[in-house]
Amino acid sequence: MRPSFLRVATKPKWIGALAIALAAAALFASFGQWQLSRSIRVVEAPADLNEVTPLTDITAHGEPFKTNQSDRRVSATVRLALGSCFVVENRVQLNADGSTRNGYWVMCDSEDTLGAHLILAHGFTPNRESAIRVCKGDSMYLSAYISQPKFEMIIGRYEPTEEIKQQLGGGDGATAEQKKTYGETRAFESVSVPQVINVLHKTPVATYAGYVIMDSSGYSALLEPIKIGVKKSDSQLNLLSAFYFVEWMLFAGFAVFLWFRLVQDERDRLASLSKEKPSKAKG
């Protein structure tokens, strides 16, 4: 007859084995906890986040956007690219009292003195028609300025590109229904630098990975300066350390499982011996 699991497991040698297994599991778990603490790293925003730094001092065109570049105030000498104005939907404006409003950004492409393209966010408006008017040059915006584009210094916050979403107006990427809303004015659901550059330029051009939210709305009374929340910190996941954490947890579980498996084997061995004894007695 096969003895019960509890009867075998409570024998002194298997209690001792369980203590060893639990000690090994605890050791492996502590290694896993150490790896977990290393897998998520909090990156504090630079202390000089509001200090104006030339954009070319922290990045160059063609370089990927780095986490510590987000929200940095930068300066750049640029001129606006002719006919590059576009509208971005689903923007959130931060009010002075901490509340928010939904609306639209007016943005355009620009070119710096090195010939690299930099996307600029000029201002916010809660009204779609105002955003379209600004892009069409019906206000104080680009009509006079862009007829004779010149290099000038701009200051703003450098931000990362966003996920590609729909093009809502202007160009071949918009549907007929979407064009009814925006007409020939280009409009997008997100600020995706690669998407915008591909729409504006038919051939590859040197481009900065991020875009700049200008401190001033610049050229139109219809726009107000864009206000966004600035991150004080960010977190990064170290995938290798996370993998090691999972690995150590598996080792901890295996230590206990091995003890369980050995107890089961002992039960099978005792059951086998109990069957052999009667057969020997008959002989």
Side-chain angles (χ1 to χ4, degrees), residues 15-260:
I15 293 176
L18 176 60
I20 294 173
L22 291 176
L27 179 63
F28 294 149
S30 66
F31 288 154
Q33 185 66 29
W34 177 71
Q35 288 291 352
L36 180 63
S37 67
R38 290 168 56 87
S39 65
I40 301 176
R41 183 166 66 94
V42 176
V43 181
E44 296 295 334
D48 58 348
L49 197 63
N50 291 317
E51 183 179 326
V52 179
T53 305
L55 179 61
T56 51
D57 283 1
I58 65 170
T59 189
H61 59 79
E63 289 187 357
F65 193 98
K66 298 177 182 177
T67 302
N68 61 0
Q69 295 170 349
S70 185
D71 297 327
R72 291 284 298 272
R73 287 188 75 212
V74 297
S75 63
T77 301
V78 300
R79 62 182 177 188
L80 300 185
L82 293 170
S84 66
C85 187
F86 61 95
V87 177
V88 182
E89 279 193 356
N90 304 317
R91 299 293 96 181
V92 177
Q93 180 80 338
L94 181 65
N95 298 322
D97 61 0
S99 61
T100 59
R101 288 176 291 154
N102 294 328
Y104 306 81
W105 284 0
V106 173
M107 305 183 68
C108 74
D109 185 21
S110 70
E111 186 179 1
D112 70 2
T113 53
L114 301 174
H117 288 259
L118 176 64
I119 301 298
L120 303 177
H122 288 280
F124 169 88
T125 174
N127 185 276
R128 178 192 295 153
E129 288 68 30
S130 295
I132 295 173
R133 280 186 58 197
V134 171
C135 260
K136 286 182 176 179
D138 291 342
S139 65
M140 296 169 55
Y141 187 54
L142 301 179
S143 54
Y145 177 83
I146 211 166
S147 60
Q148 292 181 327
K150 59 183 179 180
F151 284 104
E152 66 174 7
M153 179 179 288
I154 58 97
I155 294 175
R157 292 197 183 274
Y158 191 52
E159 302 295 336
T161 184
E162 299 174 1
E163 177 186 357
I164 295 177
K165 293 185 179 180
Q166 288 190 81
Q167 182 180 347
L168 302 174
D172 298 332
T175 65
E177 185 64 29
Q178 290 165 345
K179 286 184 177 180
K180 288 181 182 179
T181 304
Y182 286 98
E184 295 305 314
T185 301
R186 297 185 189 91
F188 301 88
E189 276 194 308
S190 65
V191 187
S192 169
V193 173
Q195 180 185 29
V196 171
I197 291 295
N198 286 339
V199 169
L200 296 178
H201 304 280
K202 302 304 180 184
T203 57
V205 294
T207 309
Y208 290 95
Y211 65 95
V212 172
I213 297 177
M214 295 172 60
D215 282 359
S216 170
S217 57
Y219 314 107
S220 175
L222 294 177
L223 300 177
E224 55 187 276
I226 296 170
K227 301 295 182 183
I228 62 171
V230 177
K231 289 184 179 180
K232 301 301 181 183
S233 63
D234 202 354
S235 59
Q236 294 178 334
L237 177 64
N238 185 319
L239 292 178
L240 183 60
S241 292
F243 170 77
Y244 286 148
F245 163 73
V246 174
E247 189 177 57
W248 284 117
M249 290 300 99
L250 290 175
F251 286 161
F254 181 74
V256 178
F257 174 76
L258 180 61
W259 172 83
F260 171 81

